[in-house]
Amino acid sequence: MKTLLVKLGAAFMIIAFISCENDSPEKEKKELDDKEILNNITDPADTTKQDTTASYNEYCGTVHSFELRYYSSTLYGTDEMYNNEDSLFIAYTLADDLAEADWGIHSTYLFLGDYNDLPKLENGSVDWYNEAITMEIYDGNLPVIVKAFALNELSDCFGFATKVKLNNPDPEGSNISPRAFINVDGVLEYPWMQNYEYCIQSCSSD
């Protein structure tokens, strides 16, 4: 009898545990801490700067260039910012080898503004799904996306944060989401960690 009671008690506890587990809310999935991503990028690969702006628009001043990376030294592409007299342009360009392998840009996530308004998660990474971030999805598996913004809708100088989600042609692979890093002499930093700002460049010839 005592053995039977012990078995019944154990069975009851297992059933209660399963019931409680099923009733508990599913944990919200959040992406890994951006610091973890940065810490995993060591010895960035050497890159040859390509002028991807010449075929887009005449621009003023200099092009500000960023590297799109995620987790490893693999360079997934570049992100460039420049302006003419009327508009700011942000050009996302996949690395040639990925474009040739039929990768493409699935979506972009973009923040322009004061870094005090950059939304963060509790772990310190950017909340890319916050309403302060503009997210756009694209059709056509494009290797290049150019976004344009009217200068009269922007501040003279502003902070910048962005990532892209890529279409991976490998059905067994995952969709990588590289972020834009500043690369200064082989050292990668997030723009907001360096208080980077893009300031509208004058087009006057004086």
Side-chain angles (χ1 to χ4, degrees):
M1 175 64 76
K2 185 176 181 180
T3 301
L4 177 60
L5 290 175
V6 170
K7 289 182 178 179
L8 287 174
F12 177 80
M13 289 179 65
I14 291 172
I15 293 170
F17 175 79
I18 293 173
S19 176
C20 289
E21 190 174 61
N22 290 337
D23 291 340
S24 60
E26 183 179 351
K27 290 184 179 180
E28 186 176 1
K29 294 180 180 178
K30 293 291 187 179
E31 66 179 24
L32 292 173
D33 190 336
D34 283 351
K35 292 179 180 177
E36 181 178 348
I37 295 171
L38 181 60
N39 290 339
N40 276 275
I41 298 177
T42 57
D43 189 22
D46 291 334
T47 61
T48 301
K49 176 71 169 60
Q50 295 182 345
D51 184 4
T52 60
T53 61
S55 61
Y56 301 153
N57 293 276
E58 293 297 324
Y59 58 89
C60 312
T62 59
V63 175
H64 290 215
S65 184
F66 304 84
E67 296 184 3
L68 293 170
R69 296 183 182 271
Y70 189 83
Y71 268 120
S72 70
S73 60
T74 301
L75 179 71
Y76 287 93
T78 59
D79 184 23
E80 295 180 313
M81 298 177 65
Y82 52 97
N83 69 271
N84 61 17
E85 293 183 345
D86 305 309
S87 302
L88 169 76
F89 298 93
I90 301 180
Y92 301 87
T93 305
L94 276 184
D96 289 343
D97 58 337
L98 294 182
E100 291 170 2
D102 203 30
W103 287 66
I105 297 174
H106 173 275
S107 52
T108 58
Y109 301 75
L110 176 66
F111 171 85
L112 299 175
D114 189 319
Y115 287 131
N116 290 327
D117 299 324
L118 181 63
K120 300 283 190 68
L121 300 172
E122 289 183 3
N123 64 10
S125 66
V126 173
D127 183 356
W128 296 104
Y129 299 95
N130 187 282
E131 62 183 8
I133 305 288
T134 301
M135 192 268 280
E136 292 187 68
I137 300 175
Y138 305 95
D139 292 325
N141 205 43
L142 301 174
V144 177
I145 296 291
V146 181
K147 300 163 70 71
F149 304 86
L151 295 186
N152 59 15
E153 297 179 359
L154 298 169
S155 302
D156 291 340
C157 296
F158 44 84
F160 163 77
T162 193
K163 77 170 184 175
V164 300
K165 179 180 286 187
L166 303 180
N167 290 321
N168 186 343
D170 180 358
E172 301 291 325
S174 59
N175 288 339
I176 307 299
S177 297
R179 287 92 162 119
F181 288 98
I182 298 173
N183 187 340
V184 181
D185 297 327
V187 178
L188 300 176
E189 294 281 2
Y190 289 110
W192 57 93
M193 292 177 68
Q194 293 295 306
N195 289 321
Y196 163 86
E197 284 190 321
Y198 183 90
C199 294
I200 303 301
Q201 301 180 77
S202 173
C203 296
S204 63
S205 57
D206 297 338

